[in-house]
Each structure stands twice: as structure tokens, then as C-alpha cells.
């Protein structure tokens, strides 16, 4: 095949054949195409888009570029959950034990923190002993032992995505819908759970800034899943401010434990329960029965007990006393009194990463006691002497004054009350296509 012709075809808005898509993905994984041709094709796809068939071929070829676990082949009842990423998104740590307590087994491949968002694997590392590096066989054993497996994505999963993602990053082609779908779904399908619940974030702290664009992504992700035989639903949720109040590793673990004990933050709880319910409905539960069961396991201690079993099975000591504590804390006060009208979650996430919950170099150690606790939400009335957040300082040397100032500036305070954005907008189908202007 003359790949220049394929690039020209896509540049001019044409459709690629399955063969052309396969050549492209192979070119990325085995180096049989030079980076300039891969980059040109990425830009052509970014500008011209892809149809549903092309998107599915792209996803399948990326999936087949690496190791395919196909967990559903051995444990058809397993569900997976994926979030498109955000700040204060502690959901995975809470969802897995809740579903395990209910008897819906869960498997998730998790990643490290990236930029402003903290990674689930990093949060789990806050528990001494947790081992995320698991083979397929060990993952099946974990599912059987404790009802949940949260494991690290191996280097052998969708290797084409690593090459393409790195090229997208330097060619301004990250936002392309089919490229995002291929990237996310190739990794989800590699794990191969038979059911997948998606949390697609919209808003200032998400990479889809409008409801319409989040909905478009939700529809495209679900379509690929369903066409490949995976039960799938997507909820569109708010990321115009951090989801939960804790941004960090040990502090998010503590927040998860608070919810599993029947308390905790109401927003984080609501989204987590909504996603659990969505997963249960995919598994044939009636939504009302699911809600009752979810309330039950949170109230009677069985979700917390499931968490302890999960931690032990993954090699960790679940004793919360072992979680790292901050070395010191700094309260951050508002710049004015009034109402919180906006909250820059992205910058708060970057502050949390900088103080120790993330890495500035790939090999940097995390400071597990470090992070940011957010005390106010959009719509809240605050007084001048009321802290809006707390900076948790850990073992890393940081410029505290500068971080405190950045936290303060992340909150916009105005004289008039505003309505907080709706937390769960619903499924893609619940939201009319005409939510286009997406100013809500
Ligand atoms: N997450 C991914 O894994 N890939 C993307 O392209 C976007 C989000
Ligand atoms: Ca709208």
C-alpha cells in the first residue's frame, strides 16, 4: 500500500479502508511507518474525522497491537469503570468495594497521575504493601478472592497507543474524537470486562469543556463498546469544580474510607453511587433495587469490610493509621467575602501535584501526606475569615507562600449567589442533542 495515498484520502475528507487503518496502527507499533507519515495521518484524522466503522477499526487494531486479557472469557460477570479524568475524582477507590460488597465483581486497570489529575495507582500506593503489578492469572485470583482487582496497566497493553499518544501530544491532535475513542477504548477492551460504566466529565476541569462535546464523546465511546459486544453506559458528570474535597493520595484514601463508612462528601458519594447503579443496571438490576442495595452496603459496614478484604488481597495493610499524614498544614483564606462563583479545579490539581501528590519528573517520589483539601463549593457563601481550602504539606520542599496564593486565586468570589452546576446530567440519551450551546 502507498501510505501517502491513504494520507491524501483522509486529508480530502475520504474514508479509510480497514486495511489502511491496520497499516497505520501497525506502522505506529512496529515502526514500519516513519513518524512524519504517522503525524500527517493524525492531523488528517483530526481535521477530517472518522466514521463509526473507521473508529471501530482503529480501536480494534490498537487493541490487537498488544496483549489482550479478555477477562470476560473467564469471568463474564466482571464490570469495569472508566473516567475521562478530573480532579478530586476518588470514585474508583469507593466504587470497587461497594460493588464487591454487593456481589458485582470489578476489575480495573489504573494509571499514574498525569498533569493535574492524580492517578488511582498512586493513591493505592499510599497504603503500605499494595501491589498493583499483576498478571492476568493473578487478576482472576483477586476477583475470586475479594471481588475486585485494581491493577496497573502493563506496557504490553495497546503499545500502539503509547506511540500515537506521544505523537498527538506534540502535533496538537490530542482533542480528535476518533483518536480519543481509539486510545481509551483500546485499553478498556484489552482488559476485556463484559460490562463497562463510563464517567464522562464536562467542564472547566475536564478535557471536554462543553456538555455537547462530552455527550459526543460519551456516544462515540459507547458505540464502540456496544459494537464490540460490551455492555456499556455512560454518565455525563460535572467537572467545573473538583468532585470530592480531597486532592492527593493519602487524603483521597481517607475520603474514600469516610464514604465507605457511611459518611463522607455528598458529591463524591452521589457520583460514585450513580456509577455503581449504572453498572448494576447493565448487569440486569432494577434501578430501584440497586439504589436500596447501595444504600444498604454503605450503611451496614459491608462496603468498608469489602474494602478491607480488597486491600489485604492486594498485599496491603488496610489500617488507616498507616496512611501518611501531612508534616504541616496551611489554611487558605478567601480574598474577599461573598459567594463562590467558580473554582479552577485544574489549577488546584496542579498545586496538589506540586506539593507532593504528583511528579514533576517521571522518577520523582510522591509525598503521600501532601495535597489540598477543598472546603467550599460553587454557590457557597463565604466570609473573609473562613478557610476555603487547606494545603497539606508533606516531605517535599515547596514554596508554600506561592502555593497558598495559587489556591486562593483558584476560587472566584462574587457578590451574587450562583446555582452550582448540576452534578449528574444523566446518560447521553437523557441529554437532548440540542444541549449544544452548553452554557449550563
Ligand atoms: N485518555 C486516554 O487514554 N487517551 C486519550 O486520548 C484521552 C484520554
Ligand atoms: Ca445548554
Amino acid at each position: 500500500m502507498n501510505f501517502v495515498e491513504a494520507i491524501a484520502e483522509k486529508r480530502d475528507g475520504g474514508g479509510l479502508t480497514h486495511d489502511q487503518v491496520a497499516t497505520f496502527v501497525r506502522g505506529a507499533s512496529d515502526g514500519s511507518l516513519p513518524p512524519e507519515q504517522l503525524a500527517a495521518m493524525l492531523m488528517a484524522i483530526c481535521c477530517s474525522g472518522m466514521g463509526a466503522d473507521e473508529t471501530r477499526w482503529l480501536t480494534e487494531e490498537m487493541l490487537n497491537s498488544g496483549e489482550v486479557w479478555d477477562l470476560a472469557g473467564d469471568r463474564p460477570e466482571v464490570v469495569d469503570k472508566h473516567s475521562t479524568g478530573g480532579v478530586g475524582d476518588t470514585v474508583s477507590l469507593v466504587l470497587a468495594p461497594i460493588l464487591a460488597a454487593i456481589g458485582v465483581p470489578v476489575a480495573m486497570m489504573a494509571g499514574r497521575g498525569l498533569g493535574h489529575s492524580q492517578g488511582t495507582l498512586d493513591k493505592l500506593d499510599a497504603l503500605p504493601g499494595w501491589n498493583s503489578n499483576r498478571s492476568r492469572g493473578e487478576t482472576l485470583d483477586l476477583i475470586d478472592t475479594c471481588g475486585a482487582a485494581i491493577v496497573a496497566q502493563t506496557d504490553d497493553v495497546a503499545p500502539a497507543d503509547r506511540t500515537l499518544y506521544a505523537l498527538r501530544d506534540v502535533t496538537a491532535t490530542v482533542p480528535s474524537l476518533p483518536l480519543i475513542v481509539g486510545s481509551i477504548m483500546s485499553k478498556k477492551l484489552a482488559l476485556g470486562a463484559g460490562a463497562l460504566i463510563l464517567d464522562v466529565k464536562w467542564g472547566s476541569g475536564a478535557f471536554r469543556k462543553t456538555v455537547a462535546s462530552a455527550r459526543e464523546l460519551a456516544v462515540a465511546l459507547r458505540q464502540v463498546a456496544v459494537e464490540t459486544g460490551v455492555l456499556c453506559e455512560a454518565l455525563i458528570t460535572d467537572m467545573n469544580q473538583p468532585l470530592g474535597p480531597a486532592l492527593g493520595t493519602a487524603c483521597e484514601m481517607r475520603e474514600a474510607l469516610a464514604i465507605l463508612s457511611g459518611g463522607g462528601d455528598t458529591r463524591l458519594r452521589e457520583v460514585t453511587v450513580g456509577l455503581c447503579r449504572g453498572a448494576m443496571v447493565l448487569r440486569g438490576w432494577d434501578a430501584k433495587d440497586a439504589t436500596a442495595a447501595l444504600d444498604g452496603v454503605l450503611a451496614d459496614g459491608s462496603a468498608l469490610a469489602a474494602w478491607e478484604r480488597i486491600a489485604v488481597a492486594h498485599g496491603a495493610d488496610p489500617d488507616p493509621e498507616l496512611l501518611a499524614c501531612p508534616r504541616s498544614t496551611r489554611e487558605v483564606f478567601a480574598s474577599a467575602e461573598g459567594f463562590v462563583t467558580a473554582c479552577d479545579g485544574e489549577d488546584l490539581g496542579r498545586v496538589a501535584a506540586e506539593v507532593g501528590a504528583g511528579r514533576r519528573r517521571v522518577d520523582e517520589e510522591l509525598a503521600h501526606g501532601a495535597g489540598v483539601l477543598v472546603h467550599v463549593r460553587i454557590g457557597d457563601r463565604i466570609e473573609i475569615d473562613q478557610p476555603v481550602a487547606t494545603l497539606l504539606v508533606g516531605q517535599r520542599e515547596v514554596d508554600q507562600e506561592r502555593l497558598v496564593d495559587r489556591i486562593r486565586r483558584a476560587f472566584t468570589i462574587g457578590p451574587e449567589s450562583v446555582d452550582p452546576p448540576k452534578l449528574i446530567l444523566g446518560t447521553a440519551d437523557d441529554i437532548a442533542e440540542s444541549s449544544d450551546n452548553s452554557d449550563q
Side-chain angles (χ1 to χ4, degrees):
M1 175 192 307
N2 181 344
F3 197 69
V4 178
E5 283 170 18
I7 298 169
E9 183 79 31
K10 186 42 78 185
R11 177 199 63 203
D12 296 338
L16 299 176
T17 64
H18 192 157
D19 209 32
Q20 287 171 320
V21 172
T23 301
F24 170 57
V25 174
R26 201 178 325 114
S29 46
D30 69 5
S32 57
L33 288 174
E36 60 271 19
Q37 288 194 322
L38 296 173
M41 182 57 97
L42 287 171
M43 185 55 83
I45 292 170
C46 192
C47 295
S48 300
M50 276 184 147
D53 283 343
E54 290 173 283
T55 306
R56 193 182 70 253
W57 295 329
L58 176 70
T59 307
E60 286 172 352
E61 294 300 332
M62 288 174 72
L63 157 72
N64 290 322
S65 75
E67 197 175 308
V68 178
W69 278 20
D70 184 29
L71 289 185
D74 286 295
R75 301 290 184 280
E77 65 285 5
V78 166
V79 303
D80 184 7
K81 168 255 165 190
H82 181 76
S83 152
T84 60
V87 178
D89 186 352
T90 313
V91 169
S92 293
L93 301 180
V94 191
L95 171 136
I98 292 178
L99 287 177
I102 280 176
V104 174
V106 189
M108 289 185 275
M109 267 187 182
R112 301 273 164 208
L114 193 71
H116 65 277
S117 61
Q118 279 70 54
T120 297
L121 286 188
D122 292 334
K123 298 171 198 177
L124 294 167
D125 279 346
L127 274 185
W130 188 285
N131 176 6
S132 310
N133 296 314
R134 304 287 180 167
S135 66
R136 180 181 189 276
E138 289 169 330
T139 300
L140 293 176
D141 287 345
L142 285 169
I143 293 165
D144 296 340
T145 310
C146 65
I150 312 179
V151 303
Q153 186 176 307
T154 72
D155 284 348
D156 302 324
V157 164
D161 180 58
R162 254 193 314 285
T163 307
L164 291 177
Y165 200 93
L167 277 174
R168 285 164 65 201
D169 210 21
V170 294
T171 55
T173 54
V174 169
S176 158
L177 189 74
L179 296 178
I180 293 168
V181 171
S183 173
I184 293 176
M185 290 307 296
S186 61
K187 292 173 282 189
K188 293 291 112 186
L189 297 176
L191 181 70
L196 173 64
I197 185 77
L198 297 168
D199 182 7
V200 179
K201 311 284 194 187
W202 84 276
S204 60
F207 75 104
R208 308 299 273 188
K209 304 292 181 195
T210 66
V211 173
S213 68
R215 179 181 185 279
E216 186 185 34
L217 176 58
V219 168
L221 290 169
R222 197 181 54 183
Q223 182 163 1
V224 168
V226 169
E227 282 174 354
T228 40
V230 175
L231 301 168
C232 182
E233 187 54 275
L235 293 186
I236 294 161
T237 68
D238 175 59
M239 193 39 73
N240 287 286
Q241 59 181 331
L243 174 56
L247 285 59
T249 61
C251 63
E252 288 197 45
M253 191 62 80
R254 285 196 183 87
E255 180 57 37
L257 292 172
I259 295 185
L260 292 169
S261 309
D265 180 70
T266 53
R267 284 166 43 92
L268 177 59
R269 176 182 164 124
E270 191 181 332
V271 168
T272 307
V273 166
L275 291 165
C276 288
R277 186 187 305 113
M280 292 165 75
V281 168
L282 288 174
R283 285 298 180 211
W285 283 65
D286 168 78
K288 273 215 186 75
D289 295 345
T291 303
L294 288 162
D295 289 345
V297 298
L298 286 169
D300 70 6
S302 45
L304 186 63
W307 166 251
E308 286 166 0
R309 283 195 299 276
I310 292 168
V312 170
H314 286 75
D317 186 331
D319 182 357
E321 299 282 313
L322 297 175
L323 289 169
C325 289
R327 212 158 39 107
S328 63
T329 61
R330 287 278 304 267
E331 307 261 59
V332 182
F333 293 92
S335 52
E337 61 181 27
F339 295 90
V340 180
T341 58
C343 175
D344 184 343
E346 232 163 359
D347 208 43
L348 290 174
R350 276 189 219 103
V351 170
E354 204 170 317
V355 72
R359 297 173 187 78
R360 294 164 298 183
R361 301 180 315 271
V362 282
D363 57 347
E364 190 170 39
E365 295 262 340
L366 298 186
H368 284 297
V372 176
L373 298 179
V374 175
H375 305 310
V376 296
R377 296 298 176 64
I378 293 174
D380 286 356
R381 160 95 203 160
I382 51 160
E383 307 300 330
I384 191 85
D385 56 353
Q386 182 186 347
V388 290
T390 304
L391 177 66
L392 310 176
V393 181
Q395 297 301 326
R396 193 181 283 175
E397 285 305 322
V398 292
D399 181 346
Q400 291 187 30
E401 294 311 319
R402 199 173 53 80
L403 294 181
V404 163
D405 192 50
R406 270 173 70 184
I407 293 174
R408 181 179 301 115
R409 278 186 287 115
F411 294 89
T412 309
I413 314 292
E416 314 247 337
S417 171
V418 296
D419 288 335
K422 191 168 180 214
L423 186 56
I424 302 179
L425 292 185
T427 65
D429 295 336
D430 294 336
I431 303 168
E433 213 148 346
S434 62
S435 68
D436 258 359
N437 53 8
S438 345
D439 48 353
Q440 64 171 305

